[in-house]
Short mmCIF file of all heavy atoms in Angstrom, two decimals:
data_model
loop_
_atom_site.label_atom_id
_atom_site.label_comp_id
_atom_site.label_asym_id
_atom_site.label_seq_id
_atom_site.Cartn_x
_atom_site.Cartn_y
_atom_site.Cartn_z
N MET H 4 119.52 101.47 93.07
CA MET H 4 119.14 100.54 94.11
C MET H 4 118.95 99.13 93.51
O MET H 4 119.44 98.16 94.07
CB MET H 4 117.87 101.01 94.80
CG MET H 4 117.42 100.06 95.89
SD MET H 4 116.08 100.68 96.89
CE MET H 4 114.70 100.04 96.02
N PHE H 5 118.23 99.05 92.40
CA PHE H 5 117.98 97.74 91.81
C PHE H 5 119.26 97.10 91.30
O PHE H 5 119.47 95.90 91.47
CB PHE H 5 116.96 97.84 90.67
CG PHE H 5 115.58 98.14 91.15
CD1 PHE H 5 115.00 99.36 90.89
CD2 PHE H 5 114.86 97.21 91.88
CE1 PHE H 5 113.73 99.65 91.34
CE2 PHE H 5 113.59 97.48 92.34
CZ PHE H 5 113.02 98.70 92.07
N ASP H 6 120.12 97.90 90.70
CA ASP H 6 121.39 97.36 90.21
C ASP H 6 122.21 96.78 91.35
O ASP H 6 122.81 95.71 91.22
CB ASP H 6 122.19 98.44 89.48
CG ASP H 6 121.58 98.83 88.16
OD1 ASP H 6 120.79 98.03 87.60
OD2 ASP H 6 121.89 99.93 87.67
N SER H 7 122.22 97.46 92.48
CA SER H 7 122.96 96.98 93.64
C SER H 7 122.34 95.69 94.17
O SER H 7 123.04 94.73 94.47
CB SER H 7 122.98 98.05 94.72
OG SER H 7 123.57 97.54 95.89
N TYR H 8 121.02 95.66 94.28
CA TYR H 8 120.33 94.49 94.82
C TYR H 8 120.52 93.27 93.93
O TYR H 8 120.66 92.15 94.41
CB TYR H 8 118.84 94.80 94.99
CG TYR H 8 118.06 93.66 95.61
CD1 TYR H 8 118.14 93.41 96.97
CD2 TYR H 8 117.26 92.83 94.83
CE1 TYR H 8 117.44 92.36 97.55
CE2 TYR H 8 116.56 91.79 95.40
CZ TYR H 8 116.65 91.56 96.75
OH TYR H 8 115.96 90.52 97.32
N LEU H 9 120.52 93.49 92.63
CA LEU H 9 120.63 92.38 91.68
C LEU H 9 122.07 92.07 91.28
O LEU H 9 122.30 91.21 90.43
CB LEU H 9 119.80 92.69 90.43
CG LEU H 9 118.30 92.86 90.68
CD1 LEU H 9 117.60 93.30 89.41
CD2 LEU H 9 117.69 91.58 91.23
N SER H 10 123.03 92.71 91.89
CA SER H 10 124.43 92.53 91.50
C SER H 10 124.98 91.18 91.98
O SER H 10 124.45 90.56 92.91
CB SER H 10 125.29 93.65 92.09
OG SER H 10 125.40 93.49 93.50
N GLU H 11 126.04 90.74 91.33
CA GLU H 11 126.74 89.51 91.73
C GLU H 11 127.29 89.65 93.16
O GLU H 11 127.27 88.70 93.93
CB GLU H 11 127.87 89.20 90.76
CG GLU H 11 127.39 88.77 89.38
CD GLU H 11 126.74 87.39 89.39
OE1 GLU H 11 127.14 86.54 90.19
OE2 GLU H 11 125.81 87.20 88.59
N LYS H 12 127.77 90.85 93.50
CA LYS H 12 128.33 91.08 94.84
C LYS H 12 127.25 90.85 95.91
O LYS H 12 127.48 90.17 96.91
CB LYS H 12 128.87 92.50 94.95
CG LYS H 12 129.46 92.82 96.29
CD LYS H 12 129.99 94.23 96.36
CE LYS H 12 130.51 94.55 97.74
NZ LYS H 12 130.95 95.92 97.89
N HIS H 13 126.07 91.39 95.70
CA HIS H 13 124.98 91.22 96.66
C HIS H 13 124.54 89.76 96.72
O HIS H 13 124.29 89.22 97.80
CB HIS H 13 123.81 92.12 96.30
CG HIS H 13 122.70 92.09 97.29
ND1 HIS H 13 121.57 91.34 97.11
CD2 HIS H 13 122.57 92.70 98.49
CE1 HIS H 13 120.77 91.49 98.15
NE2 HIS H 13 121.35 92.31 99.01
N LEU H 14 124.46 89.13 95.57
CA LEU H 14 124.06 87.73 95.53
C LEU H 14 125.03 86.85 96.31
O LEU H 14 124.62 85.93 97.02
CB LEU H 14 123.99 87.25 94.07
CG LEU H 14 123.63 85.79 93.85
CD1 LEU H 14 122.22 85.51 94.36
CD2 LEU H 14 123.74 85.44 92.38
N GLY H 15 126.32 87.14 96.22
CA GLY H 15 127.32 86.35 96.90
C GLY H 15 127.47 86.65 98.38
O GLY H 15 128.14 85.92 99.11
N ASP H 16 126.86 87.72 98.86
CA ASP H 16 126.99 88.14 100.25
C ASP H 16 125.94 87.42 101.10
O ASP H 16 124.97 88.02 101.59
CB ASP H 16 126.84 89.65 100.36
CG ASP H 16 127.14 90.17 101.75
OD1 ASP H 16 127.63 89.40 102.59
OD2 ASP H 16 126.87 91.36 101.98
N ILE H 17 126.13 86.13 101.30
CA ILE H 17 125.15 85.29 101.98
C ILE H 17 124.88 85.74 103.42
O ILE H 17 123.74 85.74 103.87
CB ILE H 17 125.63 83.81 101.99
CG1 ILE H 17 125.88 83.31 100.57
CG2 ILE H 17 124.64 82.92 102.73
CD1 ILE H 17 124.67 83.25 99.70
N GLU H 18 125.90 86.17 104.12
CA GLU H 18 125.74 86.54 105.53
C GLU H 18 124.85 87.76 105.72
O GLU H 18 124.27 87.94 106.79
CB GLU H 18 127.11 86.78 106.16
CG GLU H 18 127.93 85.52 106.28
CD GLU H 18 129.29 85.77 106.89
OE1 GLU H 18 129.52 86.87 107.43
OE2 GLU H 18 130.13 84.86 106.82
N SER H 19 124.73 88.60 104.71
CA SER H 19 123.92 89.81 104.83
C SER H 19 122.51 89.65 104.27
O SER H 19 121.73 90.59 104.30
CB SER H 19 124.61 90.97 104.13
OG SER H 19 125.84 91.25 104.74
N GLN H 20 122.20 88.48 103.77
CA GLN H 20 120.88 88.26 103.17
C GLN H 20 119.81 88.14 104.26
O GLN H 20 120.07 87.66 105.35
CB GLN H 20 120.88 86.99 102.31
CG GLN H 20 121.88 87.02 101.18
CD GLN H 20 121.60 88.11 100.16
OE1 GLN H 20 120.46 88.41 99.87
NE2 GLN H 20 122.65 88.68 99.63
N CYS H 21 118.62 88.55 103.92
CA CYS H 21 117.50 88.48 104.86
C CYS H 21 116.72 87.18 104.64
O CYS H 21 116.21 86.94 103.55
CB CYS H 21 116.58 89.68 104.65
SG CYS H 21 115.13 89.64 105.71
N PRO H 22 116.61 86.35 105.66
CA PRO H 22 115.88 85.09 105.50
C PRO H 22 114.38 85.29 105.29
O PRO H 22 113.70 84.39 104.81
CB PRO H 22 116.15 84.35 106.81
CG PRO H 22 116.48 85.41 107.79
CD PRO H 22 117.14 86.51 107.01
N MET H 23 113.87 86.46 105.62
CA MET H 23 112.43 86.71 105.46
C MET H 23 112.02 86.64 103.99
O MET H 23 110.90 86.25 103.68
CB MET H 23 112.06 88.07 106.05
CG MET H 23 112.35 88.20 107.53
SD MET H 23 111.46 87.00 108.53
CE MET H 23 109.84 87.72 108.47
N ILE H 24 112.91 86.97 103.09
CA ILE H 24 112.59 86.93 101.66
C ILE H 24 112.33 85.50 101.23
O ILE H 24 111.36 85.22 100.53
CB ILE H 24 113.72 87.58 100.84
CG1 ILE H 24 113.82 89.06 101.19
CG2 ILE H 24 113.50 87.38 99.36
CD1 ILE H 24 115.04 89.74 100.65
N ALA H 25 113.19 84.60 101.62
CA ALA H 25 113.04 83.20 101.24
C ALA H 25 111.85 82.55 101.95
O ALA H 25 111.20 81.66 101.39
CB ALA H 25 114.32 82.44 101.55
N LEU H 26 111.56 82.97 103.14
CA LEU H 26 110.49 82.35 103.91
C LEU H 26 109.10 82.63 103.35
O LEU H 26 108.20 81.82 103.49
CB LEU H 26 110.54 82.83 105.36
CG LEU H 26 111.61 82.22 106.24
CD1 LEU H 26 111.60 82.89 107.61
CD2 LEU H 26 111.43 80.73 106.38
N SER H 27 108.91 83.76 102.73
CA SER H 27 107.55 84.14 102.31
C SER H 27 106.91 83.14 101.36
O SER H 27 105.72 82.85 101.48
CB SER H 27 107.56 85.54 101.69
OG SER H 27 108.40 85.57 100.56
N SER H 28 107.68 82.57 100.45
CA SER H 28 107.09 81.58 99.53
C SER H 28 106.74 80.29 100.28
O SER H 28 105.73 79.64 99.97
CB SER H 28 108.02 81.29 98.36
OG SER H 28 109.25 80.78 98.81
N ASP H 29 107.54 79.93 101.28
CA ASP H 29 107.22 78.74 102.09
C ASP H 29 105.99 79.00 102.96
O ASP H 29 105.13 78.12 103.11
CB ASP H 29 108.40 78.36 102.98
CG ASP H 29 109.57 77.81 102.20
OD1 ASP H 29 109.36 77.31 101.07
OD2 ASP H 29 110.70 77.91 102.70
N VAL H 30 105.92 80.18 103.51
CA VAL H 30 104.78 80.53 104.37
C VAL H 30 103.48 80.52 103.57
O VAL H 30 102.45 80.06 104.06
CB VAL H 30 105.00 81.90 105.05
CG1 VAL H 30 103.74 82.38 105.74
CG2 VAL H 30 106.14 81.81 106.04
N ALA H 31 103.53 80.97 102.34
CA ALA H 31 102.33 81.00 101.50
C ALA H 31 101.74 79.60 101.31
O ALA H 31 100.53 79.45 101.15
CB ALA H 31 102.66 81.62 100.14
N ARG H 32 102.58 78.58 101.38
CA ARG H 32 102.11 77.20 101.22
C ARG H 32 101.86 76.51 102.56
O ARG H 32 101.52 75.33 102.59
CB ARG H 32 103.13 76.41 100.41
CG ARG H 32 103.29 76.89 98.98
CD ARG H 32 104.23 75.99 98.18
NE ARG H 32 105.58 75.94 98.75
CZ ARG H 32 106.58 76.75 98.41
NH1 ARG H 32 106.38 77.67 97.50
NH2 ARG H 32 107.77 76.62 98.96
N SER H 33 102.03 77.22 103.64
CA SER H 33 101.91 76.64 104.98
C SER H 33 100.50 76.74 105.52
O SER H 33 99.60 77.28 104.87
CB SER H 33 102.88 77.34 105.94
OG SER H 33 104.20 77.09 105.55
N THR H 34 100.35 76.29 106.74
CA THR H 34 99.05 76.30 107.40
C THR H 34 98.66 77.73 107.82
O THR H 34 99.54 78.61 107.93
CB THR H 34 99.09 75.43 108.67
OG1 THR H 34 100.00 76.03 109.60
CG2 THR H 34 99.52 74.01 108.36
N PRO H 35 97.39 77.96 108.06
CA PRO H 35 96.96 79.28 108.53
C PRO H 35 97.67 79.73 109.81
O PRO H 35 97.95 80.92 109.98
CB PRO H 35 95.46 79.12 108.76
CG PRO H 35 95.06 78.05 107.78
CD PRO H 35 96.23 77.09 107.77
N ASN H 36 97.97 78.81 110.73
CA ASN H 36 98.68 79.18 111.96
C ASN H 36 100.07 79.73 111.64
O ASN H 36 100.50 80.72 112.24
CB ASN H 36 98.81 77.98 112.90
CG ASN H 36 97.51 77.65 113.59
OD1 ASN H 36 96.60 78.47 113.65
ND2 ASN H 36 97.42 76.44 114.10
N ILE H 37 100.77 79.09 110.74
CA ILE H 37 102.10 79.55 110.34
C ILE H 37 101.99 80.91 109.65
O ILE H 37 102.78 81.82 109.91
CB ILE H 37 102.79 78.53 109.40
CG1 ILE H 37 103.01 77.20 110.10
CG2 ILE H 37 104.08 79.09 108.83
CD1 ILE H 37 103.98 77.25 111.25
N GLN H 38 101.00 81.08 108.80
CA GLN H 38 100.80 82.35 108.10
C GLN H 38 100.52 83.48 109.08
O GLN H 38 101.05 84.59 108.93
CB GLN H 38 99.67 82.21 107.08
CG GLN H 38 100.04 81.29 105.93
CD GLN H 38 98.89 81.00 105.00
OE1 GLN H 38 97.77 81.46 105.21
NE2 GLN H 38 99.16 80.21 103.98
N ARG H 39 99.71 83.23 110.10
CA ARG H 39 99.43 84.26 111.11
C ARG H 39 100.69 84.62 111.90
O ARG H 39 100.95 85.79 112.18
CB ARG H 39 98.31 83.80 112.04
CG ARG H 39 96.92 83.91 111.45
CD ARG H 39 95.84 83.69 112.49
NE ARG H 39 95.79 82.32 112.97
CZ ARG H 39 95.16 81.32 112.36
NH1 ARG H 39 94.50 81.55 111.24
NH2 ARG H 39 95.16 80.11 112.88
N ALA H 40 101.47 83.62 112.26
CA ALA H 40 102.71 83.88 113.00
C ALA H 40 103.69 84.71 112.16
O ALA H 40 104.31 85.64 112.66
CB ALA H 40 103.35 82.56 113.42
N TYR H 41 103.79 84.39 110.89
CA TYR H 41 104.68 85.13 109.99
C TYR H 41 104.19 86.57 109.84
O TYR H 41 104.98 87.50 109.89
CB TYR H 41 104.73 84.43 108.63
CG TYR H 41 105.67 85.07 107.65
CD1 TYR H 41 107.03 84.85 107.71
CD2 TYR H 41 105.19 85.90 106.63
CE1 TYR H 41 107.90 85.43 106.79
CE2 TYR H 41 106.04 86.48 105.72
CZ TYR H 41 107.39 86.24 105.81
OH TYR H 41 108.24 86.81 104.91
N GLN H 42 102.88 86.74 109.70
CA GLN H 42 102.32 88.08 109.57
C GLN H 42 102.59 88.91 110.83
O GLN H 42 102.92 90.09 110.74
CB GLN H 42 100.81 88.01 109.31
CG GLN H 42 100.15 89.37 109.18
CD GLN H 42 100.72 90.19 108.04
OE1 GLN H 42 100.91 89.70 106.96
NE2 GLN H 42 100.98 91.46 108.29
N ALA H 43 102.48 88.28 111.98
CA ALA H 43 102.78 89.00 113.24
C ALA H 43 104.24 89.43 113.28
O ALA H 43 104.55 90.55 113.69
CB ALA H 43 102.43 88.10 114.43
N LEU H 44 105.13 88.55 112.84
CA LEU H 44 106.56 88.88 112.83
C LEU H 44 106.85 90.03 111.87
O LEU H 44 107.57 90.96 112.21
CB LEU H 44 107.36 87.64 112.44
CG LEU H 44 108.87 87.78 112.43
CD1 LEU H 44 109.39 88.13 113.81
CD2 LEU H 44 109.50 86.49 111.92
N VAL H 45 106.27 89.97 110.68
CA VAL H 45 106.47 91.03 109.70
C VAL H 45 105.90 92.35 110.22
O VAL H 45 106.51 93.41 110.04
CB VAL H 45 105.85 90.65 108.34
CG1 VAL H 45 105.83 91.82 107.38
CG2 VAL H 45 106.61 89.48 107.73
N SER H 46 104.79 92.29 110.90
CA SER H 46 104.19 93.50 111.47
C SER H 46 105.11 94.15 112.50
O SER H 46 105.22 95.37 112.55
CB SER H 46 102.85 93.17 112.11
OG SER H 46 101.93 92.74 111.14
N VAL H 47 105.77 93.33 113.30
CA VAL H 47 106.73 93.86 114.28
C VAL H 47 107.87 94.56 113.57
O VAL H 47 108.29 95.65 113.96
CB VAL H 47 107.25 92.74 115.21
CG1 VAL H 47 108.43 93.21 116.03
CG2 VAL H 47 106.14 92.25 116.11
N PHE H 48 108.40 93.94 112.51
CA PHE H 48 109.48 94.57 111.75
C PHE H 48 109.03 95.90 111.16
O PHE H 48 109.76 96.88 111.17
CB PHE H 48 109.97 93.67 110.63
CG PHE H 48 110.81 92.52 111.10
CD1 PHE H 48 110.73 91.29 110.48
CD2 PHE H 48 111.71 92.66 112.16
CE1 PHE H 48 111.51 90.23 110.89
CE2 PHE H 48 112.49 91.60 112.58
CZ PHE H 48 112.38 90.38 111.94
N ASN H 49 107.82 95.95 110.64
CA ASN H 49 107.29 97.19 110.06
C ASN H 49 107.14 98.27 111.13
O ASN H 49 107.47 99.42 110.91
CB ASN H 49 105.96 96.95 109.35
CG ASN H 49 106.13 96.23 108.04
OD1 ASN H 49 107.19 96.26 107.43
ND2 ASN H 49 105.08 95.57 107.60
N LEU H 50 106.65 97.89 112.29
CA LEU H 50 106.48 98.84 113.40
C LEU H 50 107.85 99.36 113.85
O LEU H 50 108.01 100.57 114.06
CB LEU H 50 105.75 98.17 114.55
CG LEU H 50 105.49 99.04 115.78
CD1 LEU H 50 104.65 100.26 115.40
CD2 LEU H 50 104.78 98.22 116.84
N GLN H 51 108.82 98.47 113.97
CA GLN H 51 110.17 98.90 114.37
C GLN H 51 110.75 99.87 113.34
O GLN H 51 111.42 100.83 113.70
CB GLN H 51 111.08 97.70 114.54
CG GLN H 51 110.77 96.88 115.76
CD GLN H 51 111.62 95.62 115.84
OE1 GLN H 51 112.29 95.24 114.89
NE2 GLN H 51 111.58 94.97 116.99
N SER H 52 110.47 99.62 112.09
CA SER H 52 110.96 100.49 111.02
C SER H 52 110.35 101.89 111.13
O SER H 52 111.04 102.89 110.97
CB SER H 52 110.64 99.88 109.65
OG SER H 52 110.97 100.77 108.63
N LEU H 53 109.07 101.95 111.45
CA LEU H 53 108.40 103.25 111.58
C LEU H 53 108.91 104.01 112.79
O LEU H 53 109.09 105.21 112.75
CB LEU H 53 106.89 103.04 111.70
CG LEU H 53 106.16 102.56 110.44
CD1 LEU H 53 104.71 102.23 110.77
CD2 LEU H 53 106.26 103.59 109.33
N VAL H 54 109.16 103.30 113.88
CA VAL H 54 109.63 103.94 115.10
C VAL H 54 111.04 104.50 114.92
O VAL H 54 111.35 105.56 115.45
CB VAL H 54 109.57 102.93 116.28
CG1 VAL H 54 110.30 103.48 117.51
CG2 VAL H 54 108.14 102.59 116.61
N SER H 55 111.86 103.81 114.17
CA SER H 55 113.25 104.25 114.01
C SER H 55 113.41 105.40 113.04
O SER H 55 114.49 105.96 112.92
CB SER H 55 114.13 103.07 113.57
OG SER H 55 113.78 102.67 112.27
N GLN H 56 112.36 105.79 112.35
CA GLN H 56 112.46 106.88 111.38
C GLN H 56 112.44 108.20 112.04
O GLN H 56 112.07 108.86 112.69
CB GLN H 56 111.34 106.80 110.34
CG GLN H 56 111.52 105.64 109.42
CD GLN H 56 110.42 105.55 108.39
OE1 GLN H 56 109.43 106.29 108.38
NE2 GLN H 56 110.56 104.62 107.48
#
């Protein structure tokens, strides 16, 4: 899994990348309102993941 994630092929596949990964570092430096909104969004993704299992 790690080899695939860190591969040149995965790095070059821009269209399949998740923007949530890049956003987390920006959100950490943002206002509390932005941080709460991001946390709510991530919580929805986690809930959807649990439901689809």
